[in-house]
Structure formats: C-alpha cells, structure tokens
Amino acid sequence: MIERLKEIRAAAEEKIMNASDLDSLREVKVKTLGRKGEITVLLRGLKDLAADERAETGKVGNEIKQALEQLIEEKIAEIKQREMETKLAREKIDISLPGTLIQSGSLHPLSRVANEIKDIFIGMGFSIAEGPEIEYDYYNFEALNIPKDHPARDMQDSFYISDDILLRTHTSPMQVRVMEKTAPQTPVKIIVPGKVYRRDDDATHSPMFHQVEGLVIDESITFGHLKGTLLAFAERIFEQELQVRYRPSFFPFTEPSAEMDISCVNCKGKGCRVCSYSGWLEILGAGMVNPKVLENGGYDPEKVTGFAFGLGIERIAMLKYGINDLRLFYDNDKRFLAQF
Ligand code: DAH
C-alpha cells in the first residue's frame, strides 16, 4: 500500500507542478484528497492490515496527505500572484492623461440674486418667511385694505381659481399671515421671497415672476428706518454708492406710500438708454404699514408702527447683469444660463 501511496503522490505532484490555473489544482485536490479521492479511498483499507503495518502505512499516508495539501496551497498562492501581475501589467493607468470634463450646472441667475438679497437682509437681522402661492382673496386683497370693488385690483390682473381663491399676485399677503402668527409680539423683521402670478405677458412682463416682500413692525418705527434699510440694501445688492429718491405713490396697504428710485447703476445718473435718459431707476414700492392692515394682523396701531416694501427679483437681476429681455430668464437656453 505504501508503494501505491507513493505512486499516487508522484502523479499528483507532477499534476500540481504543471497546473496553470486554479481550476486544475482544485481538480487534483478532489481527485487525490477529496472524500472519494484516491488516497482517501486507499487509506480506508488500513483497517484490514496487520497492526504494525497499519501504523506505519497510516503514518506515511498522513505525511503524504499533508505534503500534497501544502504543495497545493503554495501553488494556489503562486498562481494568484501571477494572475495579479498579468492583470496589473494589462491595466496600466496613465495618470498623465487629461481627465474627462464633467459639465456641472450652475445656479439660475434669479436664484443667485434671490440668495444675495436674502443674505443682505439676514445680515440686517431679518428672518425669512415663505407662504402659499395659491392664496385666499382675503390675504391677497381684503386684509391688505383692498376691498372687492377697489380700483387697485385692476393693477393686478389675477388668475382666479374660485371666487375666493387665486394665484397670489404679490408677496404682500404674507404680511397679514405673519402678523396673525406673531401678534402682539415685537419686533417683526421678515422678508418673503417667492413666486407671484399676473395675467401679463410681453417683453417686460411674465405671467409668473418673483418678488421679495419686507415687513418691519416695532414700537416707533419711522420712515427714517425704511429709508436707511432700503438704501443699505440697494448699495449692497448693486455693489456701489447710490443716490435714492422717493416719489409719492399709492398702495392701499401703506400710508404714506412711495416708489423708491436709485441713481442709474449704468450711467451713475448722467442719463442713458437703461434709465430712459432720466438718470433714475424705479426699484421698489414701499411705505408705512397702513393702521388698518396692522389691525387686520392683530396689532394695535396705537402701540406699534411698521414699514413694508416689495421688489421684483427679475428687475434687480436685469439691472445687475445688464439683461435687456425678461424672457431670457425662462427660455432655459444654456448659452444664456452658462454665463452665470
Ligand atoms: N405688493 C406691491 C406690488 O406687487 C408692492 C409693494 C408696495 C409691497 C408697497 C409693499 C409695499 O410691501 O409697502 O405691486
């Protein structure tokens, strides 16, 4: 039996040494050492041998098994190493090659300007409030002192959904919504950025556009606070020193009301096409919160006063970047958008 074991060993060793891949090694292992392998089967015959012969043969058998197992392990390691080397040689990466340029998007100019406006007001202690774009007639008009038959409604041609629900025509409805939540606490210092909707559509009007509303309420707020805040804002958003002027205006929710003009950011007030040769640019509407609106929001107009303003983000972005057609913002032309 020992002779036979040695034969099997020799044959197996040869196969192992010649094996070129893991599969053929596995095959040798199964054929010699597996449960039905040649050595395993042969050693089952040990029990029929005489005692001293059995011990001797068993010892040799075990030695051969161990030797073959070890040999196979070594060969496996060798083959794996070789496979890794050929793989590395084949898959050489040239790190000096230029990479593939991944095109990345950028913020829409309106988002950029909205973010800048928010940053400026946050820096002045304002917080940001957001409200529904589908709004009750009450908040959009009534609560702002614009009754059903008021001519001021004509300035804001609206998309009605039902008799008392519409797409908000401005961000002002958030004034009373915020007051209802905070009254009678002071101060209130908020801005409301967001989308608004009107039935207008031409080179300078879009049925959807963006506004930022501002509202400040506290004891003894004056027109001086309004002027100081809005001048600081305008100079920061346009990154230059500016002249401002206020023209009397009318909004039912402010009293007094004004339009704020800034000296033309293009010609510094000398007169050019951007400012229609007037030297001034109309930039926002503002005023002292009408006592009736304070009351509607739950504040006592004998105790507090406030100022409010509303501005168009598109208008600011057009002036800031020298864009002359409003529709460029909504065309989604990459040649335009990639410039920001
Ligand atoms: N809501 C006005 C509009 O869209 C703008 C406005 C004017 C808002 C005066 C105000 C304000 O808060 O005080 O035309």
Side-chain angles (χ1 to χ4, degrees), residues 76-148:
I76 287 176
E78 187 190 311
I79 288 177
K80 281 192 175 161
Q81 172 75 18
R82 192 152 22 90
E83 279 180 356
M84 176 66 84
E85 274 162 12
T86 42
K87 205 170 163 197
L88 283 177
R90 204 164 358 110
E91 291 184 3
K92 247 194 198 135
I93 294 169
D94 183 350
I95 57 167
S96 69
L97 278 175
T100 328
L101 185 70
I102 298 172
Q103 291 217 343
S104 64
S106 56
L107 279 181
H108 191 280
L110 291 177
S111 302
R112 286 184 68 119
V113 172
N115 286 345
E116 279 182 43
I117 294 173
K118 286 188 233 173
D119 282 349
I120 293 170
F121 281 106
I122 286 171
M124 293 195 275
F126 283 69
S127 34
I128 294 173
E130 279 180 16
E133 289 169 29
I134 300 172
E135 185 55 284
Y136 289 109
D137 183 279
Y138 174 74
Y139 289 110
N140 198 81
F141 291 128
E142 299 272 335
L144 293 170
N145 199 31
I146 316 176
K148 280 250 186 290

Side-chain angles (χ1 to χ4, degrees), residues 231-272:
L231 174 62
F233 160 73
E235 290 192 330
R236 291 186 66 182
I237 193 74
F238 292 109
E239 299 167 286
Q240 54 185 279
E241 271 184 35
L242 295 168
Q243 299 293 113
V244 290
R245 72 175 186 189
Y246 289 84
R247 284 175 294 109
S249 183
F250 174 77
F251 301 103
F253 37 94
T254 43
E255 182 59 35
S257 304
E259 310 266 1
M260 181 174 107
D261 295 346
I262 56 171
S263 47
C264 179
V265 292
N266 189 49
C267 63
K268 317 284 174 218
K270 285 192 210 70
C272 68

Side-chain angles (χ1 to χ4, degrees), residues 12 35 60 79 87 89 94 98 159 163 206 213 225 238 295 336:
R35 248 169 5 96
V60 173
I79 288 177
K87 205 170 163 197
D94 183 350
F159 291 107
D163 278 354
S206 154
E213 190 80 10
H225 295 117
F238 292 109
E295 255 169 30
F336 171 72

Side-chain angles (χ1 to χ4, degrees), residues 53 61 91 98 109 132 148 184 205 208 223 287 294 317 327:
E53 207 183 339
E91 291 184 3
K148 280 250 186 290
H205 296 89
M208 184 279 298
F223 206 90
L294 287 172
R327 287 170 290 203

Side-chain angles (χ1 to χ4, degrees), residues 130 174-185 297 299:
E130 279 180 16
M174 275 303 281
Q175 289 192 23
V176 172
R177 278 185 178 274
V178 168
M179 286 186 219
E180 282 178 350
K181 284 227 173 89
T182 50
Q185 279 159 264
Y299 281 92

Side-chain angles (χ1 to χ4, degrees), residues 157-159 167-170 195-210 314 326-327 330:
D157 265 343
S158 321
F159 291 107
L167 297 183
R168 67 178 178 192
T169 56
H170 50 178
K195 290 185 166 62
V196 300
Y197 303 83
R198 289 186 200 179
R199 286 195 292 123
D200 281 332
D201 199 6
D202 58 41
T204 50
H205 296 89
S206 154
M208 184 279 298
F209 60 105
H210 299 79
E314 277 81 352
L326 180 74
R327 287 170 290 203
Y330 315 114

